[in-house]
Each structure stands twice: as C-alpha cells, then as structure tokens.
C-alpha cells in the first residue's frame, strides 16, 4: 500500500515523500520583489517536504497583486531566489517556483511607472485588495490587447527560464484562485468575443498557450499547473466549469507535464474526471472546512485519490511537518495574524520537534 511518506518519482525528479508544501503568499520580499535572507531560512526550514512550491511569484511588474511579493523578472530577483534554492538543495529539498500574474487583482499603488492592473476584459472585481496603503477597492482593469496577450504569455516563459537560472527544479503555473489565468477561464471576468473568449474552448485558450509556452521553454517535465475549478475567490463565478476545464486539461495532457495540482473547493466529482483526463501525477490540496489540512487527509494517498498531498497553514506553523505527521503530532497552531507581512515573528520562530 502506498502512503504519503513513500518516495515518488516526479517526472524524473526523486521526491523523499508525497507531502507538498502548498504555495502561500507571505509578503516578506523587498519592495522590488527580491527574496530576502529571511525567505532563505523560511524555505530551508521546510526542506523535508517532498516538494516545496513557493509563494506566488509575479512574472512581470504589472502582474503584482499584493505588496512585498517576489518576482522572477529582474536579475536581482533571480539572484535572491538562487540563495533560496541553493540553501533548500543543501538541506536535501526540492523546490518549484509558482509563476503568477495577478491580472485585475491588484491596485495602481502597487505598480511602477503609472501602470494599472490588466485583465481579459474591463470588469472590476468586487471587493478590496491589500496594499501598503491599506485596503483599497479593486479598480477596473485595462483590457489586454492581442499583442499584450502574446507578450504576457511570453512573460511566463521568460520567468520560467529565469526560474531555472535561479536554481529551481521546476515551476508551477498559477491558474487558480481568481488571478489572471483564472480570469480568462471564468465567464464573469472574460467577456471577450475574439479568439480568447466567447466560448468554453476560447476561454481555455490563454491557459493552454501559457502552459505550452512554459513547457517549450523549460520542458514539460519541469512544468506543473494549478487549477481551482468553480472557486469563487476574488469574485470569480463559474456556474458550469466542466466544459472549459475539460478543454484545458485535454489540450495540455499530451504534453507530459510534471503534475496537475487542484484545489478541492467545490466539485470533487469534477476533479476526479479531470484527473482521469490528465492521466499524470495528481496533486490535491484538500478542502477541510474550519481547520487546516491535517493527518486526517493522509489516507487520500492510500486510497488512490491523490498521488501527492498539499498542506498549507500547517506547513507554516510546523517546519518539520512530515515528521510530525508521521508521529501523529503534536502540531503547532498557525498564527493567522502574522500570515501576511511583518517581521520574522510567526515566520521563522515556529519550533521543530526535539529529539
């Protein structure tokens, strides 16, 4: 019987176990998006994960959605990430960079040179976003032109090449949680009637082209994709997502990607059907209402419902989470007040188990 603690081969990359540190924004980079020494220590503390997926990392300046998030589009950012990956590898870990573009989720005060957020259509998200000036209403994004869409796709590929230059073992494309790729997939944020919208298949095209561009740039075996069909986060509405996501998964499945990573938020049956169509390694971030994903989810691997399991908040609070899960606990309690920004408190000071 396969367990979450068994090693696994991820498209040629050996992983010590099947426990994944999920991508989680922590807002600890510099104002210029450069990873800091604290980030080096944070990721290295968690190197016992089978796979670390970094926090969302913007592929371009206009893609920044929150303050103090890292990027992969300048030499300084690449050098900062190299310090992270070298340290994680020295500790025996494996690490992928999550490539991200916030799209309409962001605000002009976060962006340089008078830039404004962009999106598939000029439709503002309801709600407010976090900035260094406090919460601000989301603005109406500027609709991307056809050439800008091509440039954005190329930006993902460039960031993927930068990720390998920075020492990452691979990348995960962030197509979930209401950010740019998800905005193209959703009918309430993509009102286009050209080749990038207007039908289920056309709304899937942007995601497909991003995946193809990244796979061409660094190899499909180093490329993962994260999706969250039906997730309403960031004012997304997908009342009937199956046709769009089926078109997407069927288009990328033949490429031989490293994995498909899904958030179990709405329709488990749909996720099962998408997994079958994908046919490759399946990473599941399970839904656990009212509590962090914990030891209760370990049987999902034994039952064959996932190949790898992604843990979020519990990995923040327990840098040695695989050891704690194997022992059945105890577990540190996550301090949610320190999740987003701040100093090293609630970031680097969670204790590991002692021998």
């Amino acid at each position: 019987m396969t367990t979450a603690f068994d090693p696994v081969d991820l498209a040629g990359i050996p992983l010590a176990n099947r426990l994944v540190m999920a991508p989680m924004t922590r807002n600890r980079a510099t104002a210029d998006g450069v990873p800091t020494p604290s980030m080096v220590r944070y990721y290295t503390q968690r190197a016992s994960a089978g796979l670390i997926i970094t926090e969302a990392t913007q592929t371009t300046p206009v893609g920044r959605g929150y303050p103090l998030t890292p990027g992969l589009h300048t030499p300084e950012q690449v050098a900062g990430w190299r310090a992270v990956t070298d340290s994680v590898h020295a500790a025996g870990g494996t690490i992928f960079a999550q490539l991200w573009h916030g799209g309409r989720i962001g605000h002009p005060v976060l962006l340089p040179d008078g830039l404004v957020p962009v999106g598939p259509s000029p439709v503002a998200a309801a709600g407010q976003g976090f900035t260094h000036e406090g919460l601000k209403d989301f603005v109406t994004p500027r609709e991307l032109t056809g050439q800008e869409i091509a440039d954005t796709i190329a930006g993902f590929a460039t960031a993927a090449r930068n990720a390998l230059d920075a020492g990452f073992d691979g990348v995960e494309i962030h197509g979930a949680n209401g950010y740019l790729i998800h905005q193209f997939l959703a009918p309430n944020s993509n009102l286009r009637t050209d080749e990038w919208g207007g039908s289920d298949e056309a709304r899937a095209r942007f995601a497909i082209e991003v995946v193809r561009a990244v796979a061409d740039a660094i190899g499909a075996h180093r490329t993962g994709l994260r999706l969250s069909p039906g997730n309403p986060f960031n004012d997304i509405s997908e009342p009937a997502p199956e046709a769009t996501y089926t078109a997407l998964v069927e288009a990328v499945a033949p490429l031989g990607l490293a994995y498909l990573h899904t958030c179990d938020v709405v329709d488990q049956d749909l996720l099962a059907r998408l997994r079958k169509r994908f046919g490759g390694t399946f990473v599941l971030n399970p839904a656990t209402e009212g509590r962090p994903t914990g030891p209760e989810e370990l049987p999902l691997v034994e039952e064959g419902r996932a190949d790898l399991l992604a843990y979020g908040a519990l990995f923040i609070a327990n840098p040695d989470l695989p050891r704690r899960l194997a022992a059945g606990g105890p577990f540190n309690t996550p301090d949610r007040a320190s999740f987003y920004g701040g100093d090293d408190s609630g970031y680097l000071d969670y204790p590991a188990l002692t021998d």
Side-chain angles (χ1 to χ4, degrees):
M1 178 180 64
T2 299
T3 77
F5 304 103
D6 291 333
V8 63
D9 182 275
L10 183 68
I13 302 172
L15 305 184
N17 55 63
R18 297 162 186 256
L19 301 169
V20 177
M21 177 177 166
M24 293 173 286
T25 292
R26 301 303 307 275
N27 307 96
R28 257 77 171 192
T30 71
D32 294 325
V34 177
T36 62
S38 289
M39 291 172 63
V40 174
R41 187 177 172 197
Y42 168 74
Y43 283 112
T44 306
Q45 286 177 339
R46 291 154 180 81
S48 63
L51 174 65
I52 293 172
I53 306 172
T54 73
E55 60 210 276
T57 302
Q58 57 256 13
T59 59
T60 179
V62 77
R64 168 174 274 171
Y66 306 108
L68 304 180
T69 52
L72 265 169
H73 53 84
T74 72
E76 294 77 15
Q77 293 165 356
V78 171
W81 277 121
R82 170 61 78 169
V84 173
T85 62
D86 283 350
S87 184
V88 168
H89 289 149
T94 301
I95 184 167
F96 274 37
Q98 190 189 61
L99 304 184
W100 168 62
H101 191 305
R104 69 179 185 170
I105 300 303
H107 195 276
V109 300
L110 299 171
L111 307 179
D113 304 325
L115 295 176
V116 297
V118 296
S121 300
V123 180
Q128 295 181 310
F130 177 63
T131 79
H132 56 279
E133 297 180 3
L135 291 174
K136 289 185 177 291
D137 292 342
F138 291 121
V139 301
T140 300
R142 184 175 58 77
E143 182 176 279
L144 289 163
T145 67
Q147 182 58 54
E148 288 170 336
I149 290 174
D151 292 343
T152 302
I153 293 169
F156 273 90
T158 297
R161 286 189 286 267
N162 288 344
L164 292 199
D165 289 344
F168 283 102
D169 299 291
V171 304
E172 175 178 283
I173 298 166
H174 195 350
N177 298 357
Y179 300 111
L180 183 64
I181 292 176
H182 202 177
Q183 292 160 27
F184 269 91
L185 292 166
N188 74 316
S189 50
N190 182 354
L191 308 183
R192 303 178 76 103
T193 56
D194 60 6
E195 64 268 36
W196 302 102
S199 70
D200 295 319
E201 294 76 12
R203 287 196 303 275
R205 184 183 175 196
F206 180 75
I208 293 167
E209 294 303 323
V210 169
V211 173
R212 286 175 175 164
V214 170
D216 285 346
I218 66 169
H221 65 294
R222 294 182 182 269
T223 304
L225 173 63
R226 192 181 205 210
L227 301 173
S228 58
N231 185 356
F233 189 63
N234 282 322
D235 194 30
I236 289 293
S237 177
E238 295 178 294
E242 182 153 3
T244 297
Y245 285 88
T246 297
L248 167 54
V249 170
E250 288 184 343
V252 303
L255 299 177
L257 300 181
Y259 62 80
L260 176 66
H261 180 186
T262 64
C263 303
D264 179 5
V265 291
V266 177
D267 188 340
Q268 295 182 22
D269 291 337
L270 172 57
L271 293 187
R273 290 192 292 273
L274 293 176
R275 179 190 183 188
K276 184 175 181 180
R277 291 178 184 277
F278 180 68
T281 299
F282 180 65
V283 182
L284 179 63
N285 195 172
T288 52
E289 292 186 18
R291 63 172 177 84
T293 303
E296 300 90 340
E297 281 62 57
L298 291 172
L300 292 172
V301 173
E302 299 168 16
E303 296 164 3
R305 293 169 59 187
D307 298 306
L308 291 90
L309 279 179
Y311 283 78
L314 215 58
F315 242 126
I316 287 178
N318 299 274
D320 55 346
L321 182 60
R323 184 182 177 193
R324 289 176 183 267
L325 287 169
F331 300 100
N332 300 321
T333 301
D335 173 23
R336 294 187 176 275
S338 63
F339 276 8
Y340 304 111
D343 57 19
D344 289 345
S345 299
Y347 190 59
L348 301 181
D349 56 356
Y350 288 106
L353 286 174
T354 61
D355 292 332

